[in-house]
Amino acid sequence: MPNVSRRGLIGGAIAVGALSAACDPAPTPNPGPSIVVSLPPFDPKDWASVRAQFAYDPAIANMATFVFASSPATVRAAIARHQAQFDFNPIEYLHANEVRNNNAVKDAAAEYLGGTAHEVMLTDSTTMGLGLLYNGIRLSPGDEILTTEHDFYATYESLRWRTARDGATVRRVRLYEDPAKASVDEIVSNLAAAIRPNTKVIALTWVHSSTGVTLPVKEITRMVAGRALVCLDSVHGFGAELSNAADLGVDFLVSGTHKWLFGPRGTGLIWGKTVAWQQYLPVIPTFDFQARGNSASPGGYKSFEYQWSVAEAFAFHKSIGRDRITARIKELAAKLKDGLAGIKGITLHTPRAAELSAGIICCSVEGMQPTTAKNLLYTKGVLASVTPYNPAYLRFGTSMVNTEADVERTLKEVRALV
Ligand SMILES: Cc1ncc(COP(=O)(O)O)c(C=O)c1O
């Protein structure tokens, strides 16, 4: 890492000013505007109180919070506080606070992930993380990246560009035939059979947004046993599943923090084992000169008020309890899956087993396009989504802001569709 600081970079041209400033009295820092935000009372043990921390439209059962989050009151307040200061004096506020606040986010992420702060790179989204990782990972001509037929567009596009650049190849494997009947054995053995001696990277997604299947990642990394780097798009497991990166045994984990964690929009991260970062060459120059190794976050001036407020999202999650949040998501998902499975004309595509699914639930409605079903449900106050895959399915997500009443209302309106 070069021995410069951002101040040094910017300050090169103002060295004369700095010299003459040495003779002048230092300006008294102006504390800037103080923003007072009143927060609703909060009892983290009470799910109604958790729900009350959000500004979601109370008139609808929002079963699509996982697509793009709205943040709880503490996160919105932190964004507002930082924003007022940035509007007042952006440069001074940045210089006075960037190291502390970047480190606070990385410390909170590391605690959540079971790693260390210098293993964390801050990004704007899962998509940015996937693009950086797959384009920065060191490969030689003839090396192969193995991915699956169940991954997201951003993984496929990142890999396509990467392989077009330097002669590495990419191949896809199908891990299960019928998602509803997928098993740990089927998934692990299909992946094992597809690994070749030149497979250097395995690009997977933890929870498939196409089907709701959750990969048995621990079993997979045990099977791979270090023969290739295992990289995981974790966005629908991060903030929803209990395992942390260390438990999963992956080499790299990529996630947005603006879905199940309910962090500020436009935030995300990459975590990598310290040794795995040695296989990575940065793509975007960093401004984070405190960082060690190659995990330095991509630089340029950013919407720091959002990035820094990710720390509050981790704190909110922690105050409720990670185990309680996972249990709640799975309990509501089980209720919804049980109900959907009992409706004639509905085919559930997500496994019923809690170890092979998280909070995403996909189904189809006999004789109806998923988009039609989604639109009809919305007219009845239920917000669902449609999977951006082929085949497309009607999709729901049970997050910590949902209630039993949301699930019942969803079931009632789905019944009315068939
Ligand atoms: C599996 C998966 N990865 C990545 C993304 C994109 O996430 P982000 O908005 O954080 O880029 C999505 C959906 O939005 C997704 O379903």
Side-chain angles (χ1 to χ4, degrees), residues 21-261:
C23 311
D24 297 335
T28 313
N30 190 324
S34 70
I35 291 279
V36 181
V37 184
S38 69
L39 297 172
F42 180 37
D43 174 2
K45 297 241 168 318
D46 173 9
W47 291 115
S49 177
V50 170
R51 173 70 182 82
Q53 304 309 303
F54 291 84
Y56 281 114
D57 181 351
I60 61 169
N62 189 332
M63 309 305 284
T65 59
F66 66 93
V67 176
F68 196 25
S70 171
S71 297
T74 46
V75 175
R76 300 198 310 274
I79 294 169
R81 276 197 307 271
H82 290 309
Q83 201 155 55
Q85 296 286 350
F86 273 115
D87 288 341
F88 186 71
N89 192 336
I91 287 296
E92 284 306 308
Y93 189 62
L94 178 64
H95 288 166
N97 294 285
E98 69 175 325
V99 170
R100 182 165 42 89
N101 286 333
N102 280 339
N103 287 345
V105 177
K106 286 191 275 184
D107 284 342
E111 185 188 343
Y112 180 87
L113 287 159
T116 58
H118 74 268
E119 295 173 327
V120 177
M121 174 198 277
L122 303 180
T123 66
D124 298 355
S125 63
T126 324
T127 301
M128 181 197 247
L130 294 169
L132 290 174
L133 180 62
Y134 292 133
N135 283 282
I137 222 159
R138 292 172 197 261
L139 290 171
S140 305
D143 286 350
E144 180 193 72
I145 304 169
L146 179 63
T147 188
T148 80
E149 291 188 8
H150 319 280
D151 282 81
F152 182 62
Y153 150 85
T155 290
Y156 295 149
E157 282 298 89
S158 301
L159 294 180
R160 188 166 70 85
W161 294 331
R162 172 53 197 263
T163 52
R165 266 192 204 108
D166 61 7
T169 56
V170 65
R171 193 161 47 90
R172 294 183 194 178
V173 56
R174 189 166 183 80
L175 298 180
Y176 47 82
E177 282 313 314
D178 178 351
K181 296 193 186 121
S183 71
V184 173
D185 248 23
E186 181 189 19
I187 293 170
V188 177
S189 57
N190 281 334
L191 186 64
I195 298 173
R196 293 176 181 166
N198 67 334
T199 305
K200 291 288 156 45
V201 171
I202 301 178
L204 302 172
T205 292
W206 192 358
V207 180
H208 293 162
S209 47
S210 49
T211 58
V213 168
T214 297
L215 290 188
V217 178
K218 284 183 213 178
E219 288 81 354
I220 287 174
T221 53
R222 262 203 296 274
M223 176 274 290
V224 174
R227 286 177 290 163
L229 291 173
V230 178
C231 304
L232 193 67
D233 173 344
S234 302
V235 74
H236 296 296
F238 195 90
E241 282 284 356
L242 206 46
S243 303
N244 64 26
D247 298 335
L248 292 169
V250 294
D251 296 285
F252 286 104
L253 178 155
V254 179
S255 188
T257 41
H258 52 194
K259 294 190 194 285
W260 297 86
L261 190 76

Side-chain angles (χ1 to χ4, degrees), residues 318-339:
K318 189 173 168 184
S319 72
I320 298 168
R322 184 176 181 153
D323 49 346
R324 290 186 62 242
I325 291 173
T326 298
R328 174 73 170 171
I329 289 169
K330 295 207 180 219
E331 181 194 327
L332 294 175
K335 260 193 205 337
L336 187 55
K337 283 188 278 187
D338 288 349

Side-chain angles (χ1 to χ4, degrees), residues 395-416:
R395 182 174 62 178
F396 304 102
T398 52
S399 75
M400 68 162 138
V401 307
N402 290 121
T403 60
E404 282 82 359
D406 290 338
V407 172
E408 277 151 27
R409 186 167 175 194
T410 303
L411 288 170
K412 174 171 169 271
E413 297 306 339
V414 171
R415 258 182 230 111

